[in-house]
Amino acid sequence: MLEPVNISLESLNLVTLSPMLIPIVGALLILIIDMIKGGLDKTLYVALSLIFLIMDFGAIMSSAMAFSHDGTIMGVFDTMIIDGLAIISQFIIVGASMLFIPLALTHKRFHEFSYPEFFALFLFMISGFQFMVATDSLILIFVGLETASLALYTLIAMHNRDKSFEAAVKYFTMGALAAGFYSFGAMVFYALTGSVEINQIANVLASNSYADMPYVLIASVFMLGSLGFKVSLVPFHTWAPDVYEGASASMAGFMSIVPKIAVFVVAMRVFEFLIHSGVVWLEVVLYIVVVLTMTMANIWALVQTDVKRMLAYSSISHAGFVMAAILIGTTQSNSALFLYWILFSFTNLGSFSMLWISRQKHLPDYQISDHSYDKFAGMIHTAPVAATIMGLFMLSLAGLPPFALFWGKLYIISSAVTGGYTLLALIMALNSAIAGYYYLKLIVYMFMKEPVVGNDGNLYVSNATLPLKFIIGFAGVGTIFAFIVLNPLLEFITAFVYNSGY
């Protein structure tokens, strides 16, 4: 008869769970408050969400200090892991979420923000993303991925427009397929190694000298398909433009930033040990996917007539740009990945927020879509401040100096050259030049065309509350003055990435 095993709470090291549990507690509290007294003003739920996100941010800072002192921390039967990748990515996830939540404070009564469940689901989603980045267990990654995804599907549908329901169903259907791919890939890795922990899988495969290479190929391809869907890499990108168009502009901006950084960290953990082990075919496949994603997304963006769809394809191209850092797989490129995404977060959230403040319920006759280029024609005459801010974000996305994203692109391209990927660096530079055309196209409409008849300045600021102006101003300041904090920020990131062994 087996004797019971006593497990002490201290050995579980539950502090590794604290950053994820805080948003879960916040979500449950919101639901309990709504059950006790419904119909409360949304400002209460915005405030509660922000409070718990701030507490979450504080817990991550505590984990960062513990990591700086003790190194990598394991907990909960060694399934949870606090390392540099987990800490930096959680800073980005929670920080961007803190900027997103105030966008709910609008003049207009948008459908989704009238439900307390919106804020509860949002906090559950954040917790799911945090679970993804703070574990190397394929099972817990899957739990976090599906928790976040199911909440996100519902948040998109809550926008309550025809295109929103279509977007949610399309996202759900494709997401279910991606979940199947992930499960099958994880199953093959488990069959090969007897483990679902990425580090253990790497050790077993290395000790066997990758004897079962065909099966490793199958598992890696299914993993690439699943994770490629989540970050909208070509050819797994087809859902992205339609879902971005159907979601609210603020939610589309959020989707372009937070879910992707969580998946990038998972991809870094899964693929980099294979690349470093000399698995050439995986390097070739990733190379092709990265180049196709950057190039094809830029070509599709060139022909768009709607600004939101253009920004959707732009986000796909940027995802390809960042995936190149995982392909390169050096400490410099991994540090550049996080730096790039932090700078991209400011710029892209600002861009989508500019679309959010000008959202319309009923389109005028001259507009073929909610954010057609014609809507922005002559914007410098009707809303000069809004035109200037939007132009600033477009110049940064185009990678022009001295704006934020120029430095992110510069660091990734330099890491490609240093890592021996000179041709890839050239392709990345050419794609940046191509992308400049469609960003400048919007600037031409705003600054060089005459306003469309019936268009006035109120169209661009109809939803501009003080919190929205603050978020846009904060993003604008970060976009312009990012170069001031580049060196200390890069040193901070590099220290955490290097100490994590990446």
Side-chain angles (χ1 to χ4, degrees), residues 115-166:
Y115 293 114
E117 292 86 352
F118 177 91
F119 301 95
L121 284 169
F122 183 82
L123 291 176
F124 281 130
M125 176 179 63
I126 298 305
S127 179
F129 289 135
Q130 289 183 261
F131 267 108
M132 286 177 63
V133 300
T135 180
D136 73 339
S137 167
L138 294 177
I139 293 176
L140 275 184
I141 290 171
F142 183 74
V143 170
L145 181 65
E146 289 308 294
T147 300
S149 296
L150 290 171
L152 187 54
Y153 304 148
T154 311
L155 292 176
I156 293 170
M158 288 174 76
H159 193 44
N160 199 32
R161 303 178 80 181
D162 290 341
K163 286 187 176 181
S164 302
F165 296 128
E166 178 187 343

Side-chain angles (χ1 to χ4, degrees), residues 83-349:
D83 62 357
L85 301 188
I87 290 166
I88 299 171
S89 54
Q90 285 185 85
F91 275 136
I92 298 173
I93 290 168
V94 177
S97 301
M98 289 165 63
L99 292 176
F100 169 81
I101 280 292
L103 297 177
L105 298 173
T106 62
H107 283 312
K108 298 180 180 179
R109 291 182 58 82
F110 292 126
H111 188 79
E112 61 266 43
F113 300 134
S114 62
Y115 293 114
E117 292 86 352
F118 177 91
F119 301 95
L121 284 169
F122 183 82
L123 291 176
F124 281 130
M125 176 179 63
I126 298 305
S127 179
F129 289 135
Q130 289 183 261
F131 267 108
M132 286 177 63
V133 300
T135 180
D136 73 339
S137 167
L138 294 177
I139 293 176
L140 275 184
I141 290 171
F142 183 74
V143 170
L145 181 65
E146 289 308 294
T147 300
S149 296
L150 290 171
L152 187 54
Y153 304 148
T154 311
L155 292 176
I156 293 170
M158 288 174 76
H159 193 44
N160 199 32
R161 303 178 80 181
D162 290 341
K163 286 187 176 181
S164 302
F165 296 128
E166 178 187 343
V169 170
K170 186 174 292 187
Y171 197 12
F172 173 78
T173 306
M174 298 291 285
L177 180 63
F181 282 179
Y182 182 94
S183 301
F184 189 84
M187 179 192 71
V188 175
F189 274 130
Y190 178 75
L192 289 174
T193 63
S195 177
V196 292
E197 295 177 8
I198 296 172
N199 283 333
Q200 186 65 22
I201 291 171
N203 293 334
V204 172
L205 290 178
S207 64
N208 294 335
S209 301
Y210 290 85
D212 299 305
M213 186 57 73
Y215 296 106
V216 177
L217 168 63
I218 292 171
S220 300
V221 167
F222 275 95
M223 279 290 181
L224 180 61
S226 173
L227 300 179
F229 164 82
K230 292 298 180 182
V231 293
S232 59
L233 299 177
V234 174
F236 315 107
H237 70 287
T238 51
W239 60 274
D242 293 336
V243 171
Y244 280 45
E245 187 179 15
S248 68
S250 58
M251 181 57 71
F254 179 86
M255 289 168 56
S256 70
I257 298 167
V258 172
K260 290 185 179 182
I261 188 61
V263 179
F264 283 137
V265 170
V266 174
M268 198 181 294
R269 296 191 193 277
V270 171
F271 294 129
E272 286 201 354
F273 81 84
L274 292 169
I275 294 173
H276 290 159
S277 300
V279 184
V280 177
W281 51 261
L282 178 61
E283 186 177 354
V284 172
V285 170
L286 275 177
Y287 202 117
I288 293 170
V289 169
V290 164
V291 172
L292 280 178
T293 301
M294 287 188 291
T295 308
M296 297 308 297
N298 278 335
I299 292 173
W300 288 317
L302 289 173
V303 297
Q304 298 304 310
T305 58
D306 183 89
V307 175
K308 192 196 278 189
R309 288 185 70 89
M310 179 271 285
L311 288 174
Y313 282 110
S314 158
S315 299
I316 295 171
S317 178
H318 285 288
F321 216 94
V322 170
M323 198 67 187
I326 296 175
L327 167 64
I328 298 163
T330 61
T331 298
Q332 182 186 359
S333 70
N334 291 338
S335 301
L337 182 155
F338 287 110
L339 178 69
Y340 188 99
W341 212 247
I342 290 170
L343 300 176
F344 177 72
S345 298
F346 282 107
T347 304
N348 218 43
L349 189 61

Side-chain angles (χ1 to χ4, degrees), residues 27-40:
L28 293 175
L29 178 62
I30 288 173
L31 293 177
I32 291 170
I33 291 173
D34 183 52
M35 284 193 296
I36 296 173
K37 175 132 179 101
L40 297 175

Side-chain angles (χ1 to χ4, degrees), residues 4-12 77:
V5 178
N6 294 321
I7 300 173
S8 66
L9 286 177
E10 185 179 354
S11 67
L12 290 177
F77 305 105

